[in-house]
Amino acid sequence: MKYCAKINNFKLDVLDLFLIFIGILILGNVIINYQPIYLIAFIVILAFLAFNTNSWQKYVLIFLIWLVYCLLLVFLKIELSIKQLNNFINQINPNFYSFRNKAINYLNSIYSNSTSQYINLLLFNNKGNNPVYELTKQLSITHLIVVSGLHINVLLFIFNKTIFLKVKNHYYQSVFQVIFCLICSYFLAYSISILRITINSIIKLFFNKCDSKKINCYSGMIILLFLKNEVTSYGFLMSYLCSIGICILAFYICNKLTLTIVINGFCILITLPFVIKMNGKINIFSFFYNYMFACLIIFDYLWFLIFAWFKPFIGINNYLTKSMIDLMHINLDLAVFIVAKPWKTTITAVYYTTFLFIFSSYTNYKMNNFVYKNVF
């Protein structure tokens, strides 16, 4: 029994992994970007662990994980980001993305500029010189229209409820998800959101019983280990902070309406510093725009994924695209903005530190309450 107790002391729960992951993000910014102000947030995490970890062995284990990661950041000379990785792939094999480029060029040849720009953004994350992308940034709905875990999870949900509805062997379903995600990753040029879903699927394939919250933390650590420069990427930070937060919130909030409202507000708060830095202003209606455009964009994504390739549907596709872009322009004209200067590093660090403390405290309280109810 004593041996078992010692083993359990080293078992990391969801909150431990969440704090380890956040600690890695903070240390990465300190080491790579030389931003020592983020050490304030790291000290808050250490203090939080000291007060809430009932095992000194676990505390030491978490600290050793951070130490190993710092040493790898300093001595491992692999400094890559998704963009650098794609440039490296193109140098080795200029024709690597030939199928993707052919698909984009085909859509460009049969549609007008505005329609092809919208469809290519929706299906291929083609953001270069794309006015539709700039429009979504102004409306703060970029995360909805750029293909991310939301879109892929919708497709996987459809597959699970149709093709794999009667398949009881989880292995076949997991293998399909991995292959499907790898194909999607190629056509989306290995964007960080799709890379997250792909790595999650691979982990799920080998560790079927692993919790989704833990899987997100594991995949984030894996990406940061090999793509160190992603530690400062907006795409990486928004994708992982939002997805891990959503997983944790979904575990504790049972009411779907309440969960939807809380998740929407949570994602807006998490992305606020990024939105201010990109746009220099805050759209006060962004909370409502998320609801308004979410279902419309998902419908467009599924529709164009199937019917964008067939010339008989060109007229309908042009109409759908024009309607969506006109709706965006109307809402942009009606939007009310608050002009805000990009936050200094100090303000951003304090903001996230406060947010981290509140969120971690809430998570710890709910986990202890959950354990108490189940034990007593």
Side-chain angles (χ1 to χ4, degrees):
M1 291 298 293
K2 291 182 179 180
Y3 178 77
C4 293
K6 289 183 178 180
I7 294 297
N8 288 332
N9 285 340
F10 286 98
K11 187 177 180 181
L12 300 176
D13 56 33
V14 174
L15 181 60
D16 295 326
L17 287 171
F18 172 69
L19 292 177
I20 289 172
F21 177 68
I22 297 297
I24 286 174
L25 283 178
I26 294 168
L27 292 170
N29 275 280
V30 171
I31 294 172
I32 295 176
N33 284 348
Y34 306 105
Q35 295 178 342
I37 189 64
Y38 279 100
L39 285 174
I40 296 173
F42 189 68
I43 293 170
V44 170
I45 292 179
L46 289 176
F48 188 84
L49 282 172
F51 285 109
N52 292 279
T53 302
N54 54 8
S55 164
W56 68 266
Q57 295 101 323
K58 186 190 290 187
Y59 191 87
V60 171
L61 177 62
I62 293 173
F63 190 83
L64 286 175
I65 292 172
W66 282 330
L67 179 62
V68 170
Y69 181 75
C70 288
L71 293 174
L72 290 173
L73 280 181
V74 173
F75 296 106
L76 193 64
K77 301 300 181 181
I78 304 176
E79 296 188 9
L80 284 176
S81 64
I82 294 295
K83 186 176 180 180
Q84 292 168 327
L85 180 63
N86 279 321
N87 290 336
F88 178 71
I89 291 172
N90 286 324
Q91 288 178 359
I92 296 177
N93 184 5
N95 297 320
F96 182 78
Y97 286 117
S98 59
F99 290 110
R100 179 178 185 268
N101 294 332
K102 285 179 181 178
I104 292 173
N105 292 332
Y106 173 75
L107 294 175
N108 289 335
S109 67
I110 64 174
Y111 291 109
S112 62
N113 283 338
S114 60
T115 303
S116 63
Q117 287 167 349
Y118 177 67
I119 296 177
N120 282 328
L121 176 62
L122 204 54
L123 299 185
F124 299 104
N125 282 353
N126 197 12
K127 295 177 281 191
N129 299 320
N130 194 327
V132 180
Y133 176 67
E134 297 300 321
L135 186 59
T136 60
K137 283 170 60 177
Q138 296 292 320
L139 291 170
S140 300
I141 58 169
T142 306
H143 61 288
L144 295 177
I145 201 165
V146 173
V147 179
S148 61
L150 171 67
H151 305 73
I152 302 303
N153 282 326
V154 168
L155 290 175
L156 290 175
F157 175 80
I158 294 172
F159 289 137
N160 291 338
K161 294 299 180 181
T162 53
I163 300 174
F164 294 102
L165 184 61
K166 296 183 179 180
V167 177
K168 295 182 179 180
N169 192 326
H170 177 269
Y171 179 78
Y172 297 118
Q173 184 177 347
S174 298
V175 169
F176 171 81
Q177 288 185 3
V178 170
I179 295 172
F180 179 76
C181 289
L182 288 172
I183 294 171
C184 289
S185 297
Y186 170 81
F187 283 101
L188 295 167
Y190 299 97
S191 66
I192 197 68
S193 295
I194 305 306
L195 195 59
R196 172 176 64 84
I197 297 294
T198 304
I199 295 176
N200 286 359
S201 300
I202 294 172
I203 295 173
K204 193 71 175 176
L205 176 63
F206 294 102
F207 303 97
N208 181 27
K209 295 182 179 180
C210 190
D211 184 82
S212 60
K213 299 178 284 297
K214 292 184 177 181
I215 289 176
N216 270 295
C217 293
Y218 289 140
S219 65
M221 295 177 202
I222 291 170
I223 290 176
L224 288 180
L225 184 61
F226 296 100
L227 302 173
K228 292 196 294 184
N229 290 348
E230 287 298 323
V231 76
T232 58
S233 163
Y234 287 167
F236 179 86
L237 293 171
M238 286 192 286
S239 177
Y240 271 95
L241 291 179
C242 287
S243 62
I244 293 173
I246 288 170
C247 286
I248 293 175
L249 290 171
F251 183 75
Y252 298 116
I253 301 176
C254 298
N255 187 285
K256 291 185 178 180
L257 178 61
T258 305
L259 179 62
T260 304
I261 295 172
V262 171
I263 285 175
N264 196 358
F266 171 79
C267 292
I268 290 172
L269 288 173
I270 280 290
T271 58
L272 185 61
F274 307 129
V275 171
I276 293 174
K277 190 164 186 177
M278 286 190 297
N279 298 336
K281 52 189 177 182
I282 304 169
N283 184 353
I284 65 172
F285 293 144
S286 59
F287 184 86
F288 304 101
Y289 288 162
N290 276 277
Y291 287 107
M292 181 187 299
F293 285 100
C295 294
L296 295 174
I297 289 173
I298 288 296
F299 171 80
D300 278 358
Y301 175 72
L302 296 174
W303 175 271
F304 289 129
L305 193 64
I306 300 170
F307 298 108
W309 316 99
F310 304 107
K311 291 184 179 180
F313 292 93
I314 288 178
I316 298 175
N317 294 338
N318 283 329
Y319 174 78
L320 289 173
T321 301
K322 185 178 182 303
S323 299
M324 177 60 76
I325 293 176
D326 288 346
L327 183 62
M328 289 182 184
H329 280 294
I330 291 170
N331 282 279
L332 185 61
D333 293 336
L334 296 174
V336 178
F337 294 96
I338 300 174
V339 178
K341 294 181 179 179
W343 290 358
K344 294 181 179 179
T345 305
T346 307
I347 299 175
T348 305
V350 171
Y351 175 80
Y352 277 120
T353 302
T354 306
F355 201 85
L356 171 65
F357 180 77
I358 295 171
F359 190 71
S360 300
S361 300
Y362 169 78
T363 305
N364 186 67
Y365 166 76
K366 296 296 287 186
M367 287 182 70
N368 288 338
N369 194 37
F370 178 79
V371 172
Y372 179 82
K373 286 181 178 179
N374 282 273
V375 173
F376 299 100

